[in-house]
């Protein structure tokens, strides 16, 4: 990118524009906003509650969830999860990169890793709560804010499923 180039910029909160690179001062870009772009209407918020998988699979899950439009990502520590230290900064970087790659202008909220039972507690306005379990129907279409909980490799334990069901999660 050189002076005079037009680029798209976004602030991570849904605002975006076309800007021209006018200068570089002390390794910082100086931009002239040429056109404010209209944001696309946002769909109902989707919360993804994901049991922390082994290895680098969470990085891919963060990327794919971001590209798919998930509004908030809730990493969960399940009985079959393997924690590997604090990954918050890495996950935010991956999500920002996925936004740039897909043209998304709002960056999803990535919550702190919590034990499953704590992560399942969501605001009351999210009354469409589902848990992905083998051999269940696809359920009905979501109306309004929704949440889907998916397990780590090996799935949820019987005890974890019971907890989710007792908290109003529908198996799908």
């Amino acid at each position: 990118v050189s002076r005079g180039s037009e680029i798209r910029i976004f602030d991570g909160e849904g605002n975006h524009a076309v800007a021209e690179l006018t200068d570089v001062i002390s390794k910082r870009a100086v931009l002239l906003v040429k056109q404010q772009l209209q944001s696309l209407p946002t769909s109902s918020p989707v919360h993804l509650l994901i049991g922390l998988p082994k290895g680098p699979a969470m990085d891919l899950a963060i990327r794919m969830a971001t590209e798919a439009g998930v509004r908030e990502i809730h990493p969960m520590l399940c009985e079959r999860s393997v924690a590997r230290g604090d990954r918050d900064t890495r996950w935010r970087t991956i999500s920002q990169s996925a936004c740039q790659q897909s043209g998304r202008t709002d960056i999803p909220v990535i919550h702190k890793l919590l034990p499953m039972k704590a992560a399942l507690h969501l605001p009351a306005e999210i009354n469409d709560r589902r848990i992905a379990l083998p051999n269940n129907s696809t359920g009905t279409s979501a109306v309004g804010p929704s949440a889907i909980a998916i397990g780590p490799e090996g799935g949820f334990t019987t005890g974890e499923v019971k907890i989710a069901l007792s908290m109003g999660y529908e198996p799908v």
Side-chain angles (χ1 to χ4, degrees):
V1 178
S2 59
R3 286 181 179 86
S5 296
E6 281 195 350
I7 58 173
R8 283 186 178 230
I9 58 175
F10 71 100
D11 65 0
E13 296 179 13
N15 301 306
H16 55 123
V18 174
E20 178 183 338
L21 178 64
T22 60
D23 204 354
V24 178
I25 300 172
S26 300
K27 298 183 180 180
R28 293 186 181 255
V30 178
L31 302 171
L32 173 63
V33 175
K34 309 266 289 196
Q35 178 186 8
Q36 188 75 30
L37 300 173
Q38 184 149 1
S39 295
L40 297 172
T42 58
S43 60
S44 293
V46 174
H47 292 249
L48 175 65
L49 296 94
I50 181 168
L52 191 64
K54 298 174 187 169
M58 186 65 166
D59 294 355
L60 181 59
I62 296 284
R63 176 173 301 287
M64 293 174 71
T66 299
E67 291 173 355
V70 168
R71 183 82 51 90
E72 296 191 30
I73 300 169
H74 304 259
M76 301 184 298
L77 192 57
C78 299
E79 289 182 40
R80 295 182 176 136
S81 295
V82 178
R84 297 186 329 155
D86 186 5
R87 311 285 283 177
D88 293 349
T89 302
R90 177 172 175 72
W91 293 338
R92 278 189 204 53
T93 301
I94 289 167
S95 185
Q96 289 171 355
S97 174
C99 283
Q100 293 168 347
Q101 184 70 25
S102 65
R104 182 174 174 175
T105 59
D106 62 315
I107 300 170
V109 174
I110 302 177
H111 294 268
K112 290 271 188 198
L113 177 65
L114 291 174
M116 181 185 170
K117 190 171 183 179
L120 290 174
H121 287 284
L122 295 172
E125 68 266 11
I126 302 171
N127 57 15
D128 181 20
R129 300 170 187 224
R130 301 163 189 235
I131 181 169
L133 298 173
N135 305 317
N136 281 284
S137 70
T138 58
T140 58
S141 296
V143 177
S146 61
I148 180 77
I150 60 173
E153 287 140 315
F156 293 115
T157 64
T158 303
E160 290 170 332
V161 171
K162 286 180 183 177
I163 290 169
L165 296 177
S166 74
M167 295 175 74
Y169 284 79
E170 172 191 347
V172 293

